[in-house]
Amino acid sequence: MALPKHTKADGRKSTNTYCSTVTLVAFVALCLVGVWMMTSSSVIPLQNLDTTQKNNNVKEVITNSFDTEESSSNENSVNNDETTTPEKSNSNQFEDNPGDLPYDATKGDSNANSQQDRSNTKEDIETTNESEKEIKQETKQANSEDAEPKNGDNSQLEKVESEGKNEKIDATSTEVLPSGAESELLSETSAKNGSFSTQATESSKEKEVRSSVEPENNKGYNWKLCNVTAGPDYIPCLDNLQAIKSLRTTKHYEHRERHCPENPPTCLVPLPEGYQRPIEWPTSREKIWYHNVPHTKLAEVKGHQNWVKVDGEFLTFPGGGTQFKHGALHYIDFIQENVPDIAWGKQSRIVLDVGCGVASFGGFLFDRDVLAMSLAPKDEHEAQVQFALERGIPAISAVMGTQRLPFPSRVFDVVHCARCRVPWHIEGGKLLLELNRLLRPGGYFVWSATPIYQKNPEDVGIWDAMKRLTKSICWEVQAVGKDKVNKVGVAVYRKPMSNECYEGRQQNEPPICNESDDPNAAWKVPLQACMHKVPVAASVRGSQWPEQWPSRVEKVPYWLLSSQVGVYGKPAPDDYSADFEHWKRVVNKSYLNGLGINWSTVRNVMDMRAIYGGFAAALKNMNLWVMNVVSVDSPDTLPIIYERGLFGIYHDWCESFSTYPRSYDLLHADHLFSKIKNKCNMTALVAEVDRILRPEGKLIIRDTVDIVNEVETMVRSMNWEVRLTYSKDKEGLLCVQKSMWRPTDSETISYAIA
């Protein structure tokens, strides 16, 4: 019997045929997609990520192929890390073109601009850098050779972590970090001291480095609050009450000098009750929050002299001082009217203000393009230096006592003292001779005090003694005038630029220092009542006045010679220039735009490990100041920093810094922690960073990946916000923001209890 046309069997056959056809088509389509994917980028760039959304934290781990660099001959391969992005402005955000730096002077400086696979060919890359075009063929070959990862090659991992709720961070851009052999500029793993000695070597009284290193707390970092008499104002090296009580005498202000504990504290300093974000500059020069520095004693004692006044929830600063009650700017201009050659902001750029009070003099010198290092002791004038720092004015807690100040010789253009209460004339003029050491040949000493213009017997006696002393050290009187507005007198002296006067003195008093005495030795070196001769050789620092500001910040100092070896191994002038170019690129193409930092809120900055001051120089056009710190066991490059119109200080980071808590808006540490870890307690250093950094302040660290990870773990345990981390070739970058968090438990520091 014939089957009907549409039987069940026929239906099954049609269905099977249809399914087979669909399956075949789908298989072919998948194959075509696979082929297309194999010939395309295996990594999609992270684009248009907005970290401003709530709780929208971005964390991407991306595998890429990087070039392996084994020698300086592979220097140009750092440019292989370029990739195209839709907008050049974004792709260059973290760019740091090595330029003409040697391979060992560009650590951290490859153009890793995106997260695309480095196996992409270079035909798709758009660039405006001529040198990159020249090496395009070379980088093509390198990319094809490195397409397959090698065993054990950790350089293929990049990590970008961006956290932040208030500021936008472009996660498509990545900080440029070290690549392979291009290493020495940041870590100095192979760098020597070059022609520079270290401050520790120069200072004969420098203590030996501790032989024992305290074990790190690897069990969760159980932070506690410091229970000390000073409370929120605790400065460990100035509040060591046990050491102060044991002093045999305080005649020379020994109790105001540094007395650091053998084991630095690892506790955290509490916040003042009611503390809030500091007022921004320049408003902060006029007023600050009372609760941030809740001290009224100075207002009670000095309010009539317009130092500081209490006004509701603010402390206000009318801009005056003991010698300029009617304003610092009038006083500053009065000085230049009497001595035009001072030429504020051109000829005179760097000033030391001794006994600064609340530092209004230094605060208003900014209007004349002048940097002033203000210093005063932590004394009965309660919190004067803390007021200065809260206002956004550079200052340190220090005293002219028994030791040299921690600055090199012949670096200050002007030294200023307005009623600074320093007895310059006693004990052979020992303290004035310390100023003579610090003052640049041809520099000025501006003295405003009652002996100049008052006629009581004590003042007359001091004035006569000062006239004899200044004459004996060959300081020439430039002017003695009276400010009729402020009703005070000012005397201006000038240090000689030759030894002619010294050699023509009838009496060798005060004596010339022995030739073996190094005037640059400044770390824990006792004062001496002697003078150092003025250098006269054309190639010696101090024989000529620096270039006028601002050209001096860029020009290579005349006394840096090609015969000298720089910190990074090149001839010193080339080393200096390479360092400056490096930091200009890092700052302009990474720090200013790529870290999510609102730089308008940044005023007080510290470079914790400055070399030539390149980081500070790159920020010179911004409305901030940078304290450059040169470690005592690092190459002594601090004179170079001063020569370029910047300032700084010597310090040993195994000890506490001489500043109040919550002093700085931003700390920059370039391979500091890895060096500290090898000599002292790194936990104590992190606690010190927490002490001197303001809540909501930023810390930028460039160091090895291990160190960066360790510090990140420590700051996370203090509830700091990690803004960005990045690592490549065993080098890392970390940007974190301090929080308001404080522990609940406390730790009593017995030596700091009254």
Side-chain angles (χ1 to χ4, degrees), residues 38 63-66 68 117-119 141-153 155-156:
M38 291 177 65
T63 303
N64 299 306
S65 296
F66 293 111
T68 301
D117 192 340
R118 296 326 192 254
S119 62
Q141 181 179 356
N143 281 336
S144 62
E145 291 174 352
D146 292 342
E148 293 296 326
K150 299 177 181 179
N151 293 334
D153 186 3
S155 68
Q156 296 177 2

Side-chain angles (χ1 to χ4, degrees), residues 25-35:
V25 170
F27 177 78
V28 171
L30 286 174
C31 290
L32 291 174
V33 170
V35 171

Side-chain angles (χ1 to χ4, degrees), residues 23 26 58 109 158 170 220 230 349 362 456 481 522 591 599 630 660 733:
T23 301
V58 181
D109 304 334
E158 288 185 6
D170 187 355
R349 163 67 178 174
N456 62 66
Y591 288 1
W599 286 88
V630 172
Y660 279 87
L733 170 73

Side-chain angles (χ1 to χ4, degrees), residues 39 50-51 55 101 110 125 151 165 174 262 281 295-296 326 338 362 475 480 538 542 587 613 634 644 699 726:
T39 59
D50 187 357
T51 58
N55 303 320
L101 292 182
S110 61
I125 295 177
N151 293 334
K165 300 177 182 179
T174 55
E262 183 177 353
W281 179 271
H295 300 295
T296 60
H326 300 285
N338 279 265
W475 283 10
V480 178
V587 167
S634 296
R644 67 194 306 180
L699 169 66
Y726 176 75

Side-chain angles (χ1 to χ4, degrees), residues 226-234 239 241 378 749-754:
C226 300
N227 178 22
V228 294
T229 299
D233 300 334
Y234 179 44
D239 291 318
L241 304 182
K378 187 178 185 182
I749 308 299
S750 58
Y751 55 76
I753 298 293

Side-chain angles (χ1 to χ4, degrees), residues 374-404:
S374 301
L375 66 87
K378 187 178 185 182
D379 62 3
E380 63 274 8
H381 283 172
E382 189 178 50
Q384 53 187 329
V385 167
Q386 190 175 20
F387 283 138
L389 289 162
E390 185 72 14
R391 297 174 70 190
I393 303 171
I396 61 168
S397 292
V399 65
M400 298 199 71
T402 66
Q403 297 180 342
R404 289 177 176 176

